[in-house]
Amino acid sequence: MILEEIVQKLSPIEARINEPIREYTTFKVGGPVDLVVIVKNKNELKSVLQLITQIGIPWMVIGKGSNLLITDDGLDGVVILLDGDFKSSQIFENKMLYCGAGMELSEVSELAFQHGYTGSEFAIGIPGSFGGGIFMNAGAYDGETSSIIHEVEWMNDNGDIYNFSKENCCFEYRKSFFQKNKGIILGATLSLELGNLEEIKAKMDDLTEKRNSKQPLECPSAGSTFKRPPGYYAGTLIQEAGLKGFSLGGAQVSEKHAG
């Protein structure tokens, strides 16, 4: 089935043929992808997954496009972007907070603060989506996404929806159940504690200052690139190897932070 026919079958869901993927990555590089599909709710996502699975087209979700380095040749298949309902949140009577996978991690941190919750301050400034943060158990400044998760909502490639408790997510350092199973994280309920607003704000401001002073936020970047070796720091090892500031073509190891 040609791409134009797929777009017709997906209508009115937004789909773009031969879309430059660089527009959706924080590195701002990458060639065209066969098809970018923007879904705004679970029903649209289910329809997309069922169709492309039936046809046998490879697909992936890229969240905010951080932690990705994509060739100028681009990507074959379908890239799915989560929009609309997936960028919304909900507060329940029992003070549980639900956030959609399309929200930014910084937005989750800000939202928790607005409701007086502590525990997600570490996420302020992480350049990724909430769904991506869950997928890779993203973290910073001694905090990890898994630490704030109560339950994750997930859709498999048949369009079936499941809810996973934190324990069943199999979180490890930069790992989770979702990396080994084909599906899409829809959102998650947070497990947070009420805290002191002034203390929460002070911690968020402190982490923001550290990030701004140490990282090259003025340049296209994927954020921290390497996993931390046990008992050490990747940035320190790179600097000790004399590669801080090293450049090749248009790419450079940051002079601010070698990681």
Side-chain angles (χ1 to χ4, degrees), residues 105-106 108-113 117-124 147-148 190 192 200 204 207:
L105 278 162
S106 289
V108 172
S109 184
E110 289 281 2
L111 185 66
F113 162 66
Y117 290 115
T118 183
S120 63
E121 293 91 332
F122 73 90
I124 193 71
S147 66
I148 62 174
L190 307 186
L192 300 169
I200 298 170
M204 291 170 66
L207 295 181

Side-chain angles (χ1 to χ4, degrees), residues 10-127:
L10 289 176
S11 182
I13 299 171
E14 185 176 358
R16 303 171 183 172
I17 297 174
N18 294 325
E19 182 80 352
I21 199 64
R22 64 177 178 271
E23 301 297 332
Y24 306 97
T25 68
T26 58
F27 257 142
K28 299 304 178 187
V29 296
V33 60
D34 289 340
L35 195 65
V36 167
V37 179
I38 303 172
V39 295
K40 297 183 178 180
N41 56 58
K42 297 173 187 177
N43 288 333
E44 287 188 355
L45 179 58
K46 181 176 181 178
S47 297
V48 171
L49 287 178
Q50 289 180 336
L51 177 61
I52 61 180
T53 299
Q54 177 186 353
I55 298 172
I57 301 176
W59 59 271
M60 66 182 297
V61 179
I62 65 169
K64 294 296 294 182
S66 57
N67 285 34
L68 291 177
L69 178 57
I70 300 175
T71 171
D72 289 340
D73 293 334
L75 294 172
D76 296 327
V78 177
V79 165
I80 299 173
L81 302 177
L82 303 182
D83 202 353
D85 291 352
F86 297 106
K87 292 186 175 181
S88 64
S89 61
Q90 186 176 1
I91 182 82
F92 299 102
E93 290 183 359
N94 61 358
K95 296 184 179 180
M96 296 295 286
L97 186 62
Y98 177 89
C99 293
M103 292 181 64
E104 295 183 20
L105 278 162
S106 289
E107 291 178 322
V108 172
S109 184
E110 289 281 2
L111 185 66
F113 162 66
Q114 291 170 14
H115 288 286
Y117 290 115
T118 183
S120 63
E121 293 91 332
F122 73 90
I124 193 71
I126 294 181

Side-chain angles (χ1 to χ4, degrees), residues 135-232:
F135 183 85
M136 66 168 290
N137 192 16
Y141 300 112
D142 299 320
E144 290 185 321
T145 307
S146 59
S147 66
I148 62 174
I149 295 300
H150 173 70
E151 187 175 78
V152 175
E153 188 178 20
W154 179 80
M155 181 183 288
N156 67 14
D157 54 3
N158 290 321
D160 303 316
I161 296 177
Y162 298 88
N163 289 291
F164 289 84
S165 66
K166 177 179 177 177
E167 291 72 23
N168 291 331
C169 292
C170 303
F171 286 118
E172 296 180 45
Y173 177 64
R174 304 299 178 260
K175 292 182 180 179
S176 75
F177 161 92
F178 308 104
Q179 295 175 3
K180 300 177 182 179
N181 295 271
K182 195 66 174 177
I184 296 177
I185 295 167
L186 307 178
T189 306
L190 307 186
S191 177
L192 300 169
E193 299 291 335
L194 287 172
N196 180 283
L197 284 175
E198 291 184 359
E199 293 177 359
I200 298 170
K201 185 64 164 58
K203 185 172 183 179
M204 291 170 66
D205 288 345
D206 178 57
L207 295 181
T208 298
E209 172 58 28
K210 287 181 178 179
R211 186 176 293 276
N212 290 343
S213 64
K214 294 181 180 180
Q215 299 188 18
L217 302 181
E218 69 281 3
C219 301
S221 167
S224 296
T225 302
F226 303 97
K227 291 182 179 179
R228 180 185 298 179
Y232 221 75

